[in-house]
Amino acid sequence: MYWRWELGLTYLCSVIGSLIFVANGEYLIGLGSFDMTGPAADVNMMGYANFQQVTAGIHFRLRARTFIVAESEEDGARFAFVNLDAGMASQLVTIKLLERLKSRYGDLYKEDNVAISGTHTHAGPGGYLQYVTYSVTSLGFVPQSFEALVTAIELSIVQAHDNLKPGSIFINTGDVENAGINRSPSAYLFNPSEERARYPRDVDTLMTLLKFVDKPSGKSVGAFNWHATHGTSMSRDNKLISGDNKGAAARFFEDWFVGSNANASTTIDRRPNSLSKMLKKASIIKATGGQECTKNASQSSKVRKYNGSRFIGAFCQSNVGDVSPNVLGAFCLDSGKPCDFNHSSCHGNDQLCVGRGPGYPDEILSTKIIGERQFQKAVDLFTSAKEEITGKIDYRLVYLNFTNIEVVLEGNQVVKTCPAALGPGFAAGTTDGPGVFGFQQGDTEINEFWKTVRDAIKEPSQYQVDCQKPKTVLLDTGEMDWPYPWAPSILPIQILRLGKLIILSVPGEFTTMAGRRLREAVKETLTSNGNGEFDNDTHVVIAGLSNTYSQYIATFEEYKQQRYEAASTLYGPHTLSAYIQEFKKLAQALARGNRTVAKGPSPPDLSSVQLTFLQDPSGDSPPPGVKFGDIKQDVKTGSFKKGDRINATFWSANPRYDLLTEGTFAVVEMLQGGKWVPEYDDDDFCLYFQWDPKLDFSGNFGFATMEWEVPEEASPGVYRFRHYGSFKKTKDSPIKYFTGASSGFTIS
């Protein structure tokens, strides 16, 4: 009996110790980050549904960033939150990730304590979602895109898990100025005036930030924040992979932290020689020509080495549904006048109405400005964060069949959600990215031509027609299952608790007012059921586009106007009411410590039925007398100054043969002490890698152009471009790797 008593005492002590540990605000914390940049050629981008928008280079790389918090390393509660530089999460990605985590960690990380949220950039490769609606423009499933995401999420979690150590977490909030406007202001006005009067603006400007501090060293190791603005600073015509404004903010934030904490004793001597000496030195540096190299050669040229020790900054998405970063407003392309207020069109033409970012007409400048506004607020909140988080870690998740949820409204009126459907306002697109000609936002009727097209694809049932009103069904996606389902039926909803921070993982894009209602309902439920654990100081944030994707969630009132967001609210006019009802149940279970919540029906794994129409590259070869890595167009001779754009073009092969994960296709090297040192790579905002494919009788190849906009912080000196790539001679040949460098040039 003694061993049982001793075992029981040991267990009791461990529980008490864990509670004291958490009550003192000390958690185990771990952060991780991994490169998730997908194919930089040929793959349709996810977001705008524009067939012509296929990847053709990289502006800066995409990353999966993770934080894990735990009460104790062995058996205490924990959860992992992953932020993706991607359009949205994917149910199939989540399913396959959880399989990999189970093989590594058993039941430590499961569906209920892992959250995956997308930033909603519209400039990342598509083809990784499992429902037909979201893979039409990508020509079906793209295995390379899918694998890049799953692997990056997995390895970012592995890195975060391996980094777990005692730490403290601080929280801070503040408003981000002029980073978003409401792109459907007429729909917002459909909400009750007394409700609107409670808020100063028609968008949420609040940023909520977590600061993670390593306990033993006192060193800050990262920060995650949530704030709502669309990832549409880059337009539907852009073809460079980009994390858009949130990815840019993360890059600026991480570089700011490293720069502000640099050790002066280890910095390289950058004192410049005279201009004449630099010009002379540069003049004798000629292009190297193409050379073979190893698979890992480009990784050695990375400026930032993500080995688990770097500071990690993540800018997460929230209730972004109707929030645009194009803050100057929407104007007609033909007249320059503001667009029609109710329909966001010009003379009835939706394609002429386009939003303008703060750097208009330069979309990259707009991306930078909106990114900087978020970054600067994050720095302010990070440096002034004083409120320490203490309390329990907890989580709940359920799956719901959203096609037929019974919702009890006020007065005990019972209504139901509907099978998924899209209305004509969906086809009109938004001011961030206009859609198909012949549609306008707010349309509730379909002309005979489009009705004939619709019915040829799938005529909606009478039940669906009645259920979705006042939406007219344009695409009856919830009743379409050939060749496999077009839209999800089963969705996850999830709550994560970190002390008095509550994270609501939602599988879509809530509009501003829809998000406010959900947050308030959950907070009220927690405070009235939590035995004093929750109060007005409880922070509730929405993590948008999480775990799977089901488009938009508008309020019942906004649904009446049928602008884009309402027309894309899949499950009918009572979708938001269903979310609020079911989240309140989940919040009540969490507040009362009830762990017996039924999980509900599991979502399907459709990996075995996916169709793929995008073919792999069939083999590349340069023209006779040319090697991959040779210079096609060298740098112009002479000296350049800050702000100049410098470029060089190399003979190259399709970048899909190897994604060069945690490596780089493009490098700017600086001559230092007789050695070439990488200074900038394709993960820098100022360096662009552009791919231009060519196919003629002399070979199958392309051109890789490096373009560098010399930043203000660039040191005077001698520089050159370097390009890395890979190719196969035939589809079944082994991959070979190559590199090449340009002639030298000077920055004065």
Side-chain angles (χ1 to χ4, degrees), residues 29 58 144 215 294 296 388 444-445 447 487 507 618 698:
I29 62 172
I58 298 174
Q144 196 174 33
K215 198 70 173 179
T294 65
N296 298 325
E388 188 170 0
T444 54
E445 295 183 1
N447 66 37
S618 58
S698 63

Side-chain angles (χ1 to χ4, degrees), residues 548-609:
T548 190
Y549 184 60
S550 60
Q551 294 180 254
Y552 285 75
I553 301 92
T555 68
F556 179 79
E557 296 84 359
E558 292 164 350
Y559 192 88
K560 294 175 183 177
Q561 197 190 17
Q562 282 297 300
R563 284 182 63 102
Y564 177 84
E565 294 80 17
S568 305
T569 296
L570 295 184
Y571 307 103
H574 304 293
T575 301
L576 174 59
S577 297
Y579 271 104
I580 291 174
Q581 172 182 280
E582 300 304 319
F583 260 110
K584 286 173 69 174
K585 293 177 184 177
L586 210 56
Q588 186 178 78
L590 184 138
R592 294 179 177 179
N594 179 11
R595 292 192 169 276
T596 60
V597 179
K599 278 287 177 66
S602 296
D605 178 346
L606 301 177
S607 56
S608 64
V609 296

Side-chain angles (χ1 to χ4, degrees), residues 4 17 68 78 185 241 275 282 293 305 327 392 419 456 471 723:
R4 292 182 181 175
I68 297 175
R78 68 176 61 202
I241 289 174
L275 180 58
C293 65
K305 303 293 195 295
V327 295
K392 295 178 184 176
K471 179 198 295 176
H723 171 46

Side-chain angles (χ1 to χ4, degrees), residues 143-157:
Q144 196 174 33
S145 287
F146 179 82
E147 182 62 29
L149 262 73
V150 179
T151 299
I153 299 168
E154 177 192 11
L155 296 182
S156 73
I157 290 175

Side-chain angles (χ1 to χ4, degrees), residues 276-406:
S276 60
K277 287 184 178 179
M278 290 192 297
L279 286 168
K280 184 177 180 180
K281 197 175 284 187
S283 68
I284 61 175
I285 298 168
K286 304 301 180 184
T288 63
Q291 303 168 340
E292 287 191 15
C293 65
T294 65
K295 174 180 174 63
N296 298 325
S298 76
Q299 294 179 359
S300 65
S301 287
K302 281 291 287 184
V303 175
R304 304 164 186 83
K305 303 293 195 295
Y306 286 89
N307 54 12
S309 62
R310 287 186 67 88
F311 177 88
I312 295 171
F315 287 71
C316 311
Q317 197 53 269
S318 192
N319 53 319
V320 67
D322 51 4
V323 187
S324 169
N326 295 309
V327 295
L328 297 186
F331 296 86
C332 297
L333 294 177
D334 56 351
S335 68
K337 295 180 179 179
C339 303
D340 171 81
F341 181 73
N342 286 314
H343 300 285
S344 293
S345 63
C346 304
H347 335 296
N349 187 343
D350 65 296
Q351 295 183 309
L352 293 176
C353 177
V354 179
R356 295 179 180 178
Y360 175 83
D362 185 340
E363 63 188 89
I364 289 177
L365 179 57
S366 291
T367 302
K368 181 179 181 181
I369 293 171
I370 298 297
E372 284 178 335
R373 288 172 182 172
Q374 294 174 81
F375 151 64
Q376 288 163 358
K377 176 50 65 174
V379 169
D380 176 44
L381 297 178
F382 178 83
T383 55
S384 61
K386 297 291 190 295
E387 180 185 347
E388 188 170 0
I389 288 184
T390 62
K392 295 178 184 176
I393 293 173
D394 208 348
Y395 44 83
R396 297 288 188 280
L397 176 142
V398 295
Y399 291 108
L400 300 164
N401 187 337
F402 253 82
T403 66
N404 60 359
I405 295 176
E406 286 194 350

